[in-house]
Amino acid sequence: MIKPITGFSRLTKKEKIDWLAETYLKNRPEDVAVLRQYWNEDSRLQQLHDEFTENTLSNFYLPFGLAPNFLINGDLLAIPMAIEESSVIAAASKAAKFWRTRGGFKAEVIETKKIGQVHFNFFGNKQKLEQFFKATKPKLLEAVKPITRNMEKRGGGVLDIKLKDKTAEIANYYQLHCEFETKDSMGANFINSCLEKFAEVFQNEARNYPDFSSEEKDIEIIMSILSNYVPECLVRAEVSCPVEELNENKDLNGEDFAKKFIQAVNIAEVEPYRAVTHNKGIMNGIDAVVLATGNDFRAVEAGIHAYAARNGKYSSLTHASLENGIFKFWIEIPLALGTVGGLTSLHPLVKLALDILQQPSAKELMKIVAVAGLAQNFAAINSLTTTGIQQGHMKMHLMNILNQYNATEAEKKTLTQHFTKHTVTHSSAVEELKKLRNS
């Protein structure tokens, strides 16, 4: 029977691994060797990675790739992507190549407002609370001046604080709904620091507010935290061209291609089962760039998926139209990103990724990320409505299958050539490998 361990976090990395090997890995030396195999030879660099999180045992690698030829607002960029899924970077690159000769991608940031909330219970008269809030709001803003001073120098800071009555949903529940501009920083720590100061001052002021009863003076702070739902931190990206320029498929003219493409998008707009997979493909592109640039892909995912359901039904993040002979395809998504602070100044590959992107501002990075999502979706729908998704995807996946069966370089070369003319499936790849080895 396995016994709980105390003080695990205080053990050295070697002691943690020894305990893991003894307790869960049956002391298999090959498992410990795998952990050590992924350590960086540079001890200072390894220590840096160790200190990104807690109880670190090793590093977990993802491929760091590049999708070139993205023409965005007239600038030609190569986009770094960190992702393990086959065909994502190839598909993005193909879409970039297609649109580069058709005017490229246009992108614009619509808004950059971020949200944080102080959640609290108030047991008393709503009108008195509103009067108290009105009197206290200037004090709240003044109290965070030491926190906001540097942000304000960069053009950011607290935009507004609003009192929201949520008692219709939960008895006695109210919010301080706070709006922020954080410029090139993602701003999580900045926002949370402001919110906690708001909560402290709000609670203290209530205790001394003469118009409150003793019960009303006892405001109960539940929590103070930023929101990863940022529907007012929006970016839009689009592509468009005359419909006759959609002529890459010899079996489908431009107008027929556009109509079929638009119908596929329309299905994702009305059918949640399709919309989830449709949007997951968009996130393949978005997450890969968010990861490569050291941003929080989990926060981005949560915010974007919430936005996809903002009208009460989960729906497509992209849209398409054909009007007056012009095909248009676009995306509008919320993105809270940063290019300063956090991993952006620590992780060597993140710093390199930002160098590759020519040191973008947060707004510029928002545009790049939105374009990556749109390109990924265009490539996916293009495949789905013409050749089918598996033809391209499984050919990219072939190498994973061959590596799983320890194929030699010669075997890989022979089978790659074979599957240029045959459909790839897992079983067909294994069967052809067996034939090759038995010949």
Side-chain angles (χ1 to χ4, degrees), residues 220-272:
E220 179 186 352
I221 302 296
I222 302 164
M223 56 185 167
S224 308
I225 186 69
L226 89 162
S227 174
N228 290 127
Y229 184 43
V230 284
E232 295 178 284
C233 191
L234 287 175
V235 58
R236 176 188 171 98
E238 71 173 49
V239 287
S240 63
C241 70
V243 69
E244 59 267 18
E245 292 185 13
L246 300 172
N247 56 359
E248 281 212 329
N249 190 312
K250 65 181 185 297
D251 299 322
L252 210 59
N253 65 41
E255 186 166 349
D256 288 341
F257 170 84
K259 289 178 179 177
K260 199 172 183 183
F261 188 103
I262 291 167
Q263 187 170 16
V265 175
N266 290 343
I267 289 169
E269 288 175 335
V270 301
E271 172 51 64

Short mmCIF file of all heavy atoms in Angstrom, two decimals, residues 220-272:
data_model
loop_
_atom_site.label_atom_id
_atom_site.label_comp_id
_atom_site.label_asym_id
_atom_site.label_seq_id
_atom_site.Cartn_x
_atom_site.Cartn_y
_atom_site.Cartn_z
N GLU A 220 -18.80 41.39 3.16
CA GLU A 220 -18.03 40.15 3.11
C GLU A 220 -17.39 39.99 1.74
O GLU A 220 -18.07 39.76 0.74
CB GLU A 220 -18.95 38.96 3.39
CG GLU A 220 -18.27 37.61 3.36
CD GLU A 220 -19.23 36.45 3.50
OE1 GLU A 220 -20.44 36.69 3.77
OE2 GLU A 220 -18.79 35.30 3.31
N ILE A 221 -16.08 40.14 1.69
CA ILE A 221 -15.36 39.94 0.44
C ILE A 221 -15.22 38.44 0.19
O ILE A 221 -14.70 37.70 1.03
CB ILE A 221 -13.96 40.59 0.47
CG1 ILE A 221 -14.07 42.09 0.75
CG2 ILE A 221 -13.22 40.32 -0.84
CD1 ILE A 221 -14.77 42.90 -0.32
N ILE A 222 -15.69 38.01 -0.96
CA ILE A 222 -15.60 36.59 -1.32
C ILE A 222 -14.28 36.31 -2.02
O ILE A 222 -13.53 35.41 -1.62
CB ILE A 222 -16.78 36.17 -2.22
CG1 ILE A 222 -18.10 36.45 -1.50
CG2 ILE A 222 -16.68 34.69 -2.59
CD1 ILE A 222 -19.30 36.45 -2.42
N MET A 223 -13.97 37.07 -3.05
CA MET A 223 -12.71 36.91 -3.77
C MET A 223 -12.50 38.09 -4.70
O MET A 223 -13.45 38.79 -5.07
CB MET A 223 -12.67 35.60 -4.57
CG MET A 223 -13.81 35.44 -5.55
SD MET A 223 -13.78 33.82 -6.35
CE MET A 223 -15.43 33.80 -7.11
N SER A 224 -11.23 38.27 -5.08
CA SER A 224 -10.84 39.34 -6.00
C SER A 224 -9.95 38.72 -7.07
O SER A 224 -8.86 38.24 -6.77
CB SER A 224 -10.08 40.44 -5.26
OG SER A 224 -10.80 40.88 -4.12
N ILE A 225 -10.40 38.76 -8.33
CA ILE A 225 -9.68 38.03 -9.37
C ILE A 225 -10.00 38.59 -10.75
O ILE A 225 -11.13 39.00 -11.02
CB ILE A 225 -10.00 36.52 -9.29
CG1 ILE A 225 -9.16 35.69 -10.27
CG2 ILE A 225 -11.48 36.25 -9.48
CD1 ILE A 225 -7.70 35.62 -9.93
N LEU A 226 -8.99 38.58 -11.62
CA LEU A 226 -9.24 38.99 -13.00
C LEU A 226 -10.14 37.98 -13.70
O LEU A 226 -10.29 36.84 -13.26
CB LEU A 226 -7.93 39.11 -13.78
CG LEU A 226 -7.39 37.86 -14.51
CD1 LEU A 226 -6.36 38.25 -15.54
CD2 LEU A 226 -6.82 36.84 -13.54
N SER A 227 -10.72 38.37 -14.82
CA SER A 227 -11.50 37.45 -15.65
C SER A 227 -10.72 37.17 -16.93
O SER A 227 -10.15 38.07 -17.54
CB SER A 227 -12.85 38.07 -16.02
OG SER A 227 -13.53 37.24 -16.94
N ASN A 228 -10.71 35.90 -17.33
CA ASN A 228 -10.12 35.54 -18.61
C ASN A 228 -11.12 35.66 -19.75
O ASN A 228 -10.79 35.36 -20.90
CB ASN A 228 -9.55 34.12 -18.56
CG ASN A 228 -8.31 34.01 -17.69
OD1 ASN A 228 -8.23 33.18 -16.79
ND2 ASN A 228 -7.35 34.88 -17.92
N TYR A 229 -12.33 36.09 -19.42
CA TYR A 229 -13.30 36.40 -20.47
C TYR A 229 -13.15 37.88 -20.80
O TYR A 229 -13.41 38.74 -19.96
CB TYR A 229 -14.72 36.09 -19.99
CG TYR A 229 -15.78 36.28 -21.06
CD1 TYR A 229 -15.57 35.83 -22.36
CD2 TYR A 229 -16.98 36.89 -20.76
CE1 TYR A 229 -16.53 36.00 -23.34
CE2 TYR A 229 -17.97 37.05 -21.73
CZ TYR A 229 -17.73 36.60 -23.02
OH TYR A 229 -18.68 36.77 -23.99
N VAL A 230 -12.69 38.15 -22.02
CA VAL A 230 -12.37 39.54 -22.39
C VAL A 230 -13.09 39.93 -23.69
O VAL A 230 -12.45 40.17 -24.71
CB VAL A 230 -10.84 39.74 -22.52
CG1 VAL A 230 -10.19 39.80 -21.16
CG2 VAL A 230 -10.21 38.62 -23.37
N PRO A 231 -14.42 39.96 -23.67
CA PRO A 231 -15.16 40.25 -24.89
C PRO A 231 -14.97 41.67 -25.41
O PRO A 231 -15.41 41.98 -26.53
CB PRO A 231 -16.62 40.02 -24.48
CG PRO A 231 -16.64 40.27 -23.01
CD PRO A 231 -15.33 39.76 -22.51
N GLU A 232 -14.30 42.52 -24.63
CA GLU A 232 -13.98 43.86 -25.10
C GLU A 232 -12.47 44.04 -25.32
O GLU A 232 -11.95 45.15 -25.30
CB GLU A 232 -14.51 44.90 -24.10
CG GLU A 232 -16.03 44.91 -24.02
CD GLU A 232 -16.54 45.90 -23.00
OE1 GLU A 232 -16.47 45.60 -21.79
OE2 GLU A 232 -17.00 46.98 -23.41
N CYS A 233 -11.80 42.91 -25.55
CA CYS A 233 -10.39 42.93 -25.95
C CYS A 233 -10.32 42.14 -27.25
O CYS A 233 -9.90 40.99 -27.29
CB CYS A 233 -9.53 42.29 -24.86
SG CYS A 233 -7.76 42.52 -25.07
N LEU A 234 -10.78 42.77 -28.32
CA LEU A 234 -11.11 42.07 -29.56
C LEU A 234 -10.14 42.37 -30.70
O LEU A 234 -9.65 43.49 -30.84
CB LEU A 234 -12.52 42.46 -30.02
CG LEU A 234 -13.70 41.90 -29.24
CD1 LEU A 234 -15.00 42.50 -29.78
CD2 LEU A 234 -13.75 40.39 -29.35
N VAL A 235 -9.94 41.35 -31.53
CA VAL A 235 -9.15 41.51 -32.75
C VAL A 235 -9.90 40.82 -33.90
O VAL A 235 -10.56 39.80 -33.70
CB VAL A 235 -7.73 40.91 -32.57
CG1 VAL A 235 -7.79 39.43 -32.20
CG2 VAL A 235 -6.89 41.13 -33.82
N ARG A 236 -9.78 41.40 -35.07
CA ARG A 236 -10.43 40.85 -36.27
C ARG A 236 -9.36 40.63 -37.34
O ARG A 236 -8.47 41.47 -37.54
CB ARG A 236 -11.49 41.83 -36.78
CG ARG A 236 -12.16 41.39 -38.09
CD ARG A 236 -13.06 42.51 -38.62
NE ARG A 236 -13.55 42.23 -39.96
CZ ARG A 236 -14.74 41.72 -40.23
NH1 ARG A 236 -15.58 41.46 -39.25
NH2 ARG A 236 -15.11 41.51 -41.48
N ALA A 237 -9.45 39.50 -38.03
CA ALA A 237 -8.58 39.22 -39.16
C ALA A 237 -9.45 38.72 -40.31
O ALA A 237 -10.46 38.04 -40.08
CB ALA A 237 -7.54 38.17 -38.80
N GLU A 238 -9.06 39.06 -41.54
CA GLU A 238 -9.86 38.62 -42.69
C GLU A 238 -9.00 38.47 -43.93
O GLU A 238 -7.89 39.01 -44.02
CB GLU A 238 -11.00 39.59 -42.96
CG GLU A 238 -10.57 40.94 -43.52
CD GLU A 238 -11.77 41.79 -43.95
OE1 GLU A 238 -12.72 41.94 -43.15
OE2 GLU A 238 -11.73 42.31 -45.08
N VAL A 239 -9.53 37.71 -44.87
CA VAL A 239 -8.98 37.61 -46.22
C VAL A 239 -10.14 37.80 -47.19
O VAL A 239 -11.29 37.51 -46.87
CB VAL A 239 -8.29 36.26 -46.48
CG1 VAL A 239 -6.97 36.17 -45.75
CG2 VAL A 239 -9.20 35.09 -46.08
N SER A 240 -9.83 38.28 -48.39
CA SER A 240 -10.86 38.42 -49.41
C SER A 240 -10.20 38.47 -50.78
O SER A 240 -9.02 38.84 -50.91
CB SER A 240 -11.68 39.70 -49.19
OG SER A 240 -10.86 40.85 -49.31
N CYS A 241 -10.96 38.08 -51.78
CA CYS A 241 -10.47 38.15 -53.16
C CYS A 241 -11.65 37.95 -54.11
O CYS A 241 -12.71 37.45 -53.70
CB CYS A 241 -9.41 37.08 -53.42
SG CYS A 241 -10.03 35.39 -53.44
N PRO A 242 -11.51 38.35 -55.39
CA PRO A 242 -12.54 38.03 -56.37
C PRO A 242 -12.74 36.52 -56.43
O PRO A 242 -11.78 35.75 -56.36
CB PRO A 242 -11.94 38.57 -57.68
CG PRO A 242 -11.01 39.64 -57.25
CD PRO A 242 -10.42 39.16 -55.96
N VAL A 243 -13.98 36.10 -56.56
CA VAL A 243 -14.30 34.68 -56.45
C VAL A 243 -13.58 33.85 -57.50
O VAL A 243 -13.23 32.69 -57.27
CB VAL A 243 -15.83 34.46 -56.52
CG1 VAL A 243 -16.38 34.77 -57.91
CG2 VAL A 243 -16.20 33.05 -56.08
N GLU A 244 -13.32 34.43 -58.67
CA GLU A 244 -12.65 33.65 -59.72
C GLU A 244 -11.20 33.32 -59.37
O GLU A 244 -10.58 32.45 -60.00
CB GLU A 244 -12.71 34.40 -61.06
CG GLU A 244 -12.06 35.77 -61.06
CD GLU A 244 -13.06 36.89 -60.75
OE1 GLU A 244 -14.15 36.57 -60.20
OE2 GLU A 244 -12.75 38.05 -61.07
N GLU A 245 -10.64 34.02 -58.36
CA GLU A 245 -9.27 33.70 -57.94
C GLU A 245 -9.20 32.49 -57.01
O GLU A 245 -8.11 32.03 -56.66
CB GLU A 245 -8.64 34.92 -57.26
CG GLU A 245 -8.40 36.07 -58.21
CD GLU A 245 -7.65 37.23 -57.57
OE1 GLU A 245 -7.12 37.04 -56.45
OE2 GLU A 245 -7.63 38.33 -58.16
N LEU A 246 -10.35 31.95 -56.62
CA LEU A 246 -10.38 30.72 -55.82
C LEU A 246 -10.36 29.53 -56.77
O LEU A 246 -11.28 28.71 -56.80
CB LEU A 246 -11.63 30.69 -54.94
CG LEU A 246 -11.81 31.82 -53.93
CD1 LEU A 246 -13.19 31.76 -53.29
CD2 LEU A 246 -10.73 31.76 -52.86
N ASN A 247 -9.30 29.41 -57.52
CA ASN A 247 -9.30 28.50 -58.66
C ASN A 247 -8.21 27.46 -58.60
O ASN A 247 -7.77 26.95 -59.64
CB ASN A 247 -9.15 29.32 -59.96
CG ASN A 247 -7.89 30.18 -59.92
OD1 ASN A 247 -7.16 30.18 -58.94
ND2 ASN A 247 -7.64 30.90 -61.00
N GLU A 248 -7.75 27.12 -57.39
CA GLU A 248 -6.64 26.18 -57.29
C GLU A 248 -7.06 24.74 -57.55
O GLU A 248 -6.26 23.91 -57.93
CB GLU A 248 -5.99 26.28 -55.91
CG GLU A 248 -5.06 27.47 -55.77
CD GLU A 248 -3.92 27.19 -54.82
OE1 GLU A 248 -4.11 26.41 -53.88
OE2 GLU A 248 -2.83 27.75 -55.03
N ASN A 249 -8.34 24.42 -57.32
CA ASN A 249 -8.81 23.05 -57.50
C ASN A 249 -9.34 22.87 -58.93
O ASN A 249 -10.31 23.53 -59.33
CB ASN A 249 -9.91 22.75 -56.47
CG ASN A 249 -10.27 21.28 -56.43
OD1 ASN A 249 -10.49 20.65 -57.46
ND2 ASN A 249 -10.33 20.72 -55.23
N LYS A 250 -8.72 21.98 -59.68
CA LYS A 250 -9.10 21.81 -61.09
C LYS A 250 -10.49 21.23 -61.25
O LYS A 250 -11.10 21.34 -62.32
CB LYS A 250 -8.08 20.94 -61.81
CG LYS A 250 -7.99 19.49 -61.33
CD LYS A 250 -6.93 18.72 -62.11
CE LYS A 250 -6.89 17.24 -61.73
NZ LYS A 250 -6.54 17.01 -60.33
N ASP A 251 -11.00 20.57 -60.21
CA ASP A 251 -12.32 19.94 -60.30
C ASP A 251 -13.45 20.85 -59.82
O ASP A 251 -14.61 20.45 -59.81
CB ASP A 251 -12.34 18.65 -59.47
CG ASP A 251 -11.33 17.64 -59.98
OD1 ASP A 251 -11.17 17.53 -61.23
OD2 ASP A 251 -10.68 16.97 -59.16
N LEU A 252 -13.12 22.07 -59.37
CA LEU A 252 -14.11 22.95 -58.78
C LEU A 252 -13.79 24.40 -59.15
O LEU A 252 -12.70 24.89 -58.86
CB LEU A 252 -14.06 22.80 -57.25
CG LEU A 252 -15.32 23.01 -56.42
CD1 LEU A 252 -16.43 22.05 -56.83
CD2 LEU A 252 -15.02 22.86 -54.94
N ASN A 253 -14.72 25.08 -59.83
CA ASN A 253 -14.43 26.47 -60.16
C ASN A 253 -14.55 27.34 -58.91
O ASN A 253 -15.06 26.91 -57.87
CB ASN A 253 -15.33 26.98 -61.29
CG ASN A 253 -16.81 27.02 -60.90
OD1 ASN A 253 -17.16 27.42 -59.79
ND2 ASN A 253 -17.68 26.62 -61.82
N GLY A 254 -14.11 28.58 -59.01
CA GLY A 254 -14.04 29.46 -57.85
C GLY A 254 -15.37 29.66 -57.17
O GLY A 254 -15.46 29.63 -55.93
N GLU A 255 -16.43 29.86 -57.95
CA GLU A 255 -17.73 30.13 -57.35
C GLU A 255 -18.29 28.91 -56.64
O GLU A 255 -18.84 29.02 -55.53
CB GLU A 255 -18.72 30.61 -58.42
CG GLU A 255 -20.05 31.04 -57.82
CD GLU A 255 -20.91 31.81 -58.81
OE1 GLU A 255 -20.40 32.19 -59.87
OE2 GLU A 255 -22.09 32.03 -58.48
N ASP A 256 -18.12 27.73 -57.25
CA ASP A 256 -18.60 26.51 -56.60
C ASP A 256 -17.81 26.22 -55.32
O ASP A 256 -18.38 25.79 -54.31
CB ASP A 256 -18.49 25.33 -57.56
CG ASP A 256 -19.51 25.39 -58.68
OD1 ASP A 256 -20.52 26.11 -58.52
OD2 ASP A 256 -19.31 24.72 -59.71
N PHE A 257 -16.50 26.49 -55.39
CA PHE A 257 -15.68 26.31 -54.19
C PHE A 257 -16.17 27.24 -53.08
O PHE A 257 -16.34 26.82 -51.92
CB PHE A 257 -14.21 26.61 -54.50
CG PHE A 257 -13.33 26.67 -53.27
CD1 PHE A 257 -12.81 25.52 -52.71
CD2 PHE A 257 -13.04 27.89 -52.67
CE1 PHE A 257 -12.02 25.57 -51.58
CE2 PHE A 257 -12.25 27.96 -51.54
CZ PHE A 257 -11.73 26.80 -50.99
N ALA A 258 -16.41 28.52 -53.42
CA ALA A 258 -16.85 29.49 -52.42
C ALA A 258 -18.17 29.09 -51.79
O ALA A 258 -18.34 29.17 -50.57
CB ALA A 258 -16.97 30.87 -53.05
N LYS A 259 -19.11 28.65 -52.61
CA LYS A 259 -20.42 28.27 -52.08
C LYS A 259 -20.33 27.08 -51.13
O LYS A 259 -20.97 27.05 -50.07
CB LYS A 259 -21.37 27.97 -53.23
CG LYS A 259 -21.80 29.21 -54.01
CD LYS A 259 -22.71 28.87 -55.17
CE LYS A 259 -23.16 30.13 -55.91
NZ LYS A 259 -24.01 29.80 -57.09
N LYS A 260 -19.51 26.10 -51.51
CA LYS A 260 -19.34 24.93 -50.66
C LYS A 260 -18.62 25.30 -49.36
O LYS A 260 -18.97 24.83 -48.27
CB LYS A 260 -18.56 23.86 -51.42
CG LYS A 260 -18.69 22.46 -50.85
CD LYS A 260 -18.04 21.44 -51.78
CE LYS A 260 -18.24 20.03 -51.22
NZ LYS A 260 -17.56 19.01 -52.05
N PHE A 261 -17.61 26.14 -49.47
CA PHE A 261 -16.85 26.62 -48.31
C PHE A 261 -17.77 27.37 -47.36
O PHE A 261 -17.76 27.13 -46.14
CB PHE A 261 -15.71 27.53 -48.81
CG PHE A 261 -14.74 27.94 -47.74
CD1 PHE A 261 -13.50 27.33 -47.65
CD2 PHE A 261 -15.03 28.96 -46.84
CE1 PHE A 261 -12.58 27.73 -46.68
CE2 PHE A 261 -14.13 29.36 -45.88
CZ PHE A 261 -12.89 28.73 -45.79
N ILE A 262 -18.56 28.28 -47.89
CA ILE A 262 -19.47 29.09 -47.07
C ILE A 262 -20.49 28.22 -46.38
O ILE A 262 -20.82 28.43 -45.20
CB ILE A 262 -20.14 30.18 -47.92
CG1 ILE A 262 -19.10 31.22 -48.35
CG2 ILE A 262 -21.28 30.86 -47.16
CD1 ILE A 262 -19.58 32.15 -49.44
N GLN A 263 -20.99 27.19 -47.08
CA GLN A 263 -21.97 26.31 -46.45
C GLN A 263 -21.34 25.55 -45.29
O GLN A 263 -21.98 25.33 -44.25
CB GLN A 263 -22.54 25.33 -47.47
CG GLN A 263 -23.70 24.50 -46.88
CD GLN A 263 -24.44 23.71 -47.93
OE1 GLN A 263 -23.95 23.51 -49.03
NE2 GLN A 263 -25.62 23.24 -47.59
N ALA A 264 -20.07 25.15 -45.45
CA ALA A 264 -19.38 24.47 -44.36
C ALA A 264 -19.26 25.37 -43.13
O ALA A 264 -19.44 24.93 -41.98
CB ALA A 264 -18.00 24.01 -44.81
N VAL A 265 -18.97 26.65 -43.36
CA VAL A 265 -18.90 27.61 -42.25
C VAL A 265 -20.28 27.82 -41.64
O VAL A 265 -20.43 27.88 -40.41
CB VAL A 265 -18.31 28.96 -42.73
CG1 VAL A 265 -18.35 30.00 -41.61
CG2 VAL A 265 -16.88 28.77 -43.22
N ASN A 266 -21.30 27.91 -42.49
CA ASN A 266 -22.67 28.09 -41.99
C ASN A 266 -23.10 26.94 -41.10
O ASN A 266 -23.81 27.14 -40.10
CB ASN A 266 -23.65 28.24 -43.16
CG ASN A 266 -23.49 29.56 -43.90
OD1 ASN A 266 -22.88 30.49 -43.39
ND2 ASN A 266 -24.02 29.63 -45.11
N ILE A 267 -22.69 25.74 -41.46
CA ILE A 267 -23.02 24.56 -40.63
C ILE A 267 -22.40 24.72 -39.25
O ILE A 267 -23.04 24.45 -38.22
CB ILE A 267 -22.54 23.27 -41.32
CG1 ILE A 267 -23.42 22.97 -42.55
CG2 ILE A 267 -22.58 22.09 -40.34
CD1 ILE A 267 -22.86 21.88 -43.44
N ALA A 268 -21.15 25.18 -39.20
CA ALA A 268 -20.49 25.38 -37.91
C ALA A 268 -21.13 26.52 -37.12
O ALA A 268 -21.01 26.57 -35.89
CB ALA A 268 -19.00 25.67 -38.12
N GLU A 269 -21.81 27.43 -37.79
CA GLU A 269 -22.50 28.52 -37.10
C GLU A 269 -23.76 28.04 -36.40
O GLU A 269 -24.16 28.61 -35.37
CB GLU A 269 -22.84 29.63 -38.09
CG GLU A 269 -21.63 30.41 -38.56
CD GLU A 269 -21.96 31.44 -39.63
OE1 GLU A 269 -22.97 31.25 -40.35
OE2 GLU A 269 -21.22 32.42 -39.75
N VAL A 270 -24.38 26.98 -36.92
CA VAL A 270 -25.69 26.56 -36.37
C VAL A 270 -25.64 25.21 -35.67
O VAL A 270 -26.56 24.89 -34.91
CB VAL A 270 -26.76 26.51 -37.48
CG1 VAL A 270 -26.91 27.88 -38.14
CG2 VAL A 270 -26.46 25.44 -38.53
N GLU A 271 -24.60 24.42 -35.89
CA GLU A 271 -24.53 23.07 -35.34
C GLU A 271 -23.39 22.95 -34.34
O GLU A 271 -22.22 22.89 -34.71
CB GLU A 271 -24.34 22.06 -36.48
CG GLU A 271 -24.05 20.64 -36.05
CD GLU A 271 -25.04 20.11 -35.03
OE1 GLU A 271 -26.24 19.99 -35.37
OE2 GLU A 271 -24.62 19.86 -33.88
N PRO A 272 -23.71 22.91 -33.02
CA PRO A 272 -22.64 22.89 -32.01
C PRO A 272 -21.69 21.70 -32.13
O PRO A 272 -20.50 21.85 -31.86
CB PRO A 272 -23.42 22.85 -30.68
CG PRO A 272 -24.75 23.46 -31.01
CD PRO A 272 -25.05 23.05 -32.42
#
